[in-house]
Amino acid sequence: MEYYTVPNKYGAQIPLQTEVRDKLSSLDVVWGNMYEGEDIDPQLVLEKEVEFYRGAPPKWLNFYCAEKNQKPFVKRDIYTKITELIQKKRETNHSISSIDLFHQPGSGGTTLAMQVLWDLRKKLRCAYAIDSADSKAIAQQVIHLFNAGGSQNQNTVLLFVDNIETEANEDMQFNSLQENLIENIKQSNISASTPVVIILNCLRKKNKTGKEKLMLCTSLSKEEQDRFNAKHAEVVQGHERHKEFHGFNIMQRNFSQTYITEACEYLKPLKTKKRPRNAQILSFLALINSYVPGSYLTETLCLEFLDKKNQISGRPTLEKQMEAFADLLVIYSTCAGEAKSKDRCIRMAHPMIAEKCLGLLTDAGVTLSDTTLKLLSNLCPQTVQPYLMEIIKQLLKKRETGPPKGEKEEKLPFSQLIQDIKEKENKSKCVGLFKHAAKKFPEDAFIPQALARFYYIELSDYAKAESWAKTAIQRKPNNSFIIDTLGQVYKNQLRNKNHAQSSRNILQIAKQAFKAFEEEAETAERELEPEMQEDGVTNISTVFNYRGLFGYIQAANTIFYKLKNVNTEWSKVLRQEANQSLIHSEKCGKYQSLLTSLRQRTEDKCNFLEDFLIYSKLKINKQEPQYIWTDTADCYKNYVKEEEQFFRSFAGLLSTLSHVTSVSDLEQITEQWKEIHMDSQTDSDALNYILANIFLSQKSASSEILRTVPELQEILQKLWERQNENRSPEFYLLVLLLFWPDSAKKTSNTPDLKVCVQYMRESYERTYQKYLRFRYLVPLFFLGNGGGLQRLVHQTDFTSLFVEEHETAEIPGFQRIQGEIRNHKVFALRGPDQIEVLPHNPASVYNTDLVSFYLGFTIRGPVAYNIRYVKKSAQFVDKHKKNIIERVEKVDLIINDLRPMIPTEQYSTIKAASTNNEKMEKLYTILSAGYEIKDTFYQSLLKNEQGLIQDLTKFGKKSSN
């Protein structure tokens, strides 16, 4: 083709210059005029159609020919939901948004995603991410594609990302693709009226939990069944060998197990010994397509195995040598070009056929372990291709999420293959397989790590587990997650009822566990650079590995209870409350140093984890498992004593007060902190006293012991006036909470909040950045509509409201703040002040405009939540003032919608007016308070006076013309 086109936002096709196309090597772009006007070989079209119906992944050529010949692909019910959701995403004020499409293996998820892209190629710039791992290159190229044709022709990119598993590893939650996209949007200084990219993220998931909003399953609705039956009649008419089209027929038969059984029946009886090489290839494919759906083997690799003794040209083709199983397999090309090319590959026609074949093989005595061993021995040469290495890793190491138990999904302890070999064969087979793989891949650390885990979890063989854990560390000494396994070996040995009975033996193992966990924690501290990678792909520096600190706490808990069972006096020794003579009477003198330092070391780690867990979580809608909180609190109680809970950190106090609801208890806590503050005069005690007052005000604004805002401000003001460059983020948090501009009375020399915000960020970077990194920072407080301390709303009940941000969402009791976006930054406008705040969703910041938002405060600083672009609505309310006053009918409904934003006295005056016009005139005097109330007024008009809005909008367009 001479040129390729992409659409602009108005639907016009823009030709792309060659230099722009050359910059898109990581994207498979679905051009607006793809294949149009080309002379396509009919034989090629037929071959690609047959490949697809047999079970090969579709090509863009398949969609083009189906559309051209008016024989479109069958649409699953979910197709409409996806296209409607894409349209909604196009109408949002977010530069980036995503849609997660979950699909069960073999349900057609990839085909559906490609179908959506093909059908929208003339409206959006559609592309498939070729190499999902290279998020930096993809992000740069998406921006090139968005900008192609110049600023006047920009258009949204619909990006299909296949099987980036967002929860593949709970410690790797950082979505680097979105982060890189946001960074590139900033660098390109994009300010557009249309979203930059909508990501269609396809995620293969075996088990359905009901929480998935979009999931394609291996079952058809009645409507889908009717569509497939109609398509089946068309296929039968057009192809004589349609009975071999298992990829299509399985779906048309609603994934019938009876059909699968009949299709595989001819394989019986199966040989178990001296099987021909083509039968072994079949078993390899059955194995990998069962446990790694979508995987394949290359034609080259298969031919080398099939023809070991006859390495000459003119050897039989792969089709010829696999002819005995031809209809169960599909051989296809991975590129869109010629039908037969060097990149051809082979796989089973469908995952369900693979599972059936594998079942027949195991029933006949061809074991899973034997097939896997032969795969490793015969198909893995000295240099293994990346695609095959990935398959091996998933077979042996990838821990799947098991069937949900109640509402919870829990990861299996080992890969599904290892689980099945353990249950269907025996544990020694698993060990043999791991050992063989560890020898086959001498540089891989994760196979010996998995073997070490198998030894201590399944076999309780701690000596061998220790040995293999150390082997893994030797292979990857700078990976804290690898080092963690050694600590887990010792910790599990310590917990085992049959081990570590005497005090000396308990302390011997504990010392090893503590040493391993501390080495892990030290290594985790160093994991800051992008060079630190797991498996050469996943960037582990995006998350701080706190397992070493938590493992230390768990080990400390274990020895506390174990030693206490030996002699109850050990609990006092561990708390540093008793004479140390017990150490010597129990012949544990060599552990004197460990025992005397254990309380302080444990307390430090408990305090750290309190900060870590209170200020952040894995992501907005995902907390750490409850046992982490429980074990940490238990350890603190064991070593520091429960009655000393009020001497904990600021975050610890936040945690404690979150669970205290009694006014009398809160008053007691506040009085205790008052005494501590008066006696010590330290900054931290002053901050805790102020925090206790804030919490007390939430439950009892009339409490006699509650200090007023000016009194608390005075405490902070005195601290502020001291020159101190190393103040904590907690100090600046309280300054922002108490001095944020409102009607509250302030002291003279009020702190400069712009400076305070800057200091707070610098303090956060010094104190917490290294540890919290890309975790979700929890909003600790929000700004409410009340006065004084009552305007501060604790986060407990509100975080869930921001899981998905809707621009029209209203939260009763929260105050919307006026703001502005400039140069991809958000500023809160408070009188003469312009205070920079961080956006909760960076993708909502890409236009230069006036906005409103809810204001929350994290440990890093103030954050804008639920950003709403309001300038146009405010302009509309001003422009059409006369018509709105004269024509609005549902005045009382609108006044009620605005009630939270109208002072009581003025509300009464408006309601007392005798006519609608008078009420509206009085209401307009209130609207001058700011554009956030104008925007709320506009939203109410949209809801209650839709016809009027439509008339005024049309009138506005005519007058502008």
Side-chain angles (χ1 to χ4, degrees), residues 890 893-894 897 939-947:
K890 299 177 181 178
L893 291 177
I894 292 169
D897 284 345
Q939 301 301 326
S940 182
L941 286 174
L942 277 176
K943 180 175 70 173
N944 298 302
E945 299 281 355
Q946 195 172 27

Side-chain angles (χ1 to χ4, degrees), residues 3 91 97 115 169 191 251 271 431 448 497 516 537 542 597 609 657 659 704 727 748 776 874 949:
Y3 64 92
E91 295 167 1
S97 56
Q115 187 178 9
N169 187 325
S191 181
M251 296 188 77
K271 290 184 178 181
V431 170
K497 293 179 180 178
V537 175
T542 57
S597 65
L609 279 177
L657 294 176
H659 300 95
E704 292 182 359
R727 292 197 185 281
S748 57
Y776 176 74
I949 293 294

Side-chain angles (χ1 to χ4, degrees), residues 148-194:
S151 59
Q152 298 303 310
N153 288 305
Q154 294 169 329
N155 195 14
T156 303
V157 175
L158 178 59
L159 181 69
F160 167 30
V161 181
D162 197 7
N163 284 303
I164 283 189
E165 302 202 26
T166 54
E167 296 186 48
N169 187 325
E170 290 182 356
D171 299 297
M172 316 294 175
Q173 294 301 326
F174 174 58
N175 191 327
S176 60
L177 177 57
Q178 293 204 38
E179 290 292 330
N180 279 309
L181 282 166
I182 289 169
E183 187 59 34
N184 275 272
I185 288 168
K186 287 181 182 178
Q187 291 175 358
S188 303
N189 198 27
I190 291 174
S191 181
S193 58
T194 187

Side-chain angles (χ1 to χ4, degrees), residues 406-437:
E407 293 187 357
K408 290 187 177 180
E409 288 183 278
E410 294 184 0
K411 282 194 172 181
L412 299 172
F414 304 99
S415 75
Q416 186 63 62
L417 175 63
I418 296 298
Q419 291 284 126
D420 289 344
I421 293 174
K422 182 189 75 173
E423 292 167 11
K424 296 175 182 178
E425 300 178 40
N426 58 60
K427 295 178 181 180
S428 64
K429 294 290 186 181
C430 298
V431 170
L433 190 54
F434 276 132
K435 285 183 176 179
H436 186 89

Side-chain angles (χ1 to χ4, degrees), residues 123 148 154 170 293 468 540 555 595 685 763 778 782 820 842 865:
K123 296 179 181 178
Q154 294 169 329
E170 290 182 356
W468 281 103
I540 68 171
L595 291 165
D685 291 335
S763 178
V778 173
F782 289 99
E820 184 178 5
Y865 293 81

Side-chain angles (χ1 to χ4, degrees), residues 53-55 105-106 243-251 255-267 282-283 285-287 289-290 325-330 347-361:
Y53 285 137
R54 287 174 60 85
K243 290 184 179 180
E244 299 172 4
F245 291 175
H246 294 314
F248 173 79
N249 292 340
I250 287 172
M251 296 188 77
F255 307 92
S256 164
Q257 282 294 340
T258 302
Y259 177 87
I260 303 292
T261 300
E262 291 173 355
C264 301
E265 189 67 28
Y266 76 89
L267 291 177
L282 180 73
S283 65
L285 291 171
L287 178 76
N289 288 153
S290 293
F325 316 108
D327 63 324
L328 300 181
L329 307 172
V330 58
R347 73 180 190 189
M348 303 296 288
H350 194 275
M352 291 174 72
I353 285 183
E355 289 176 4
K356 184 63 180 180
C357 288
L358 198 61
L360 291 172
L361 285 163

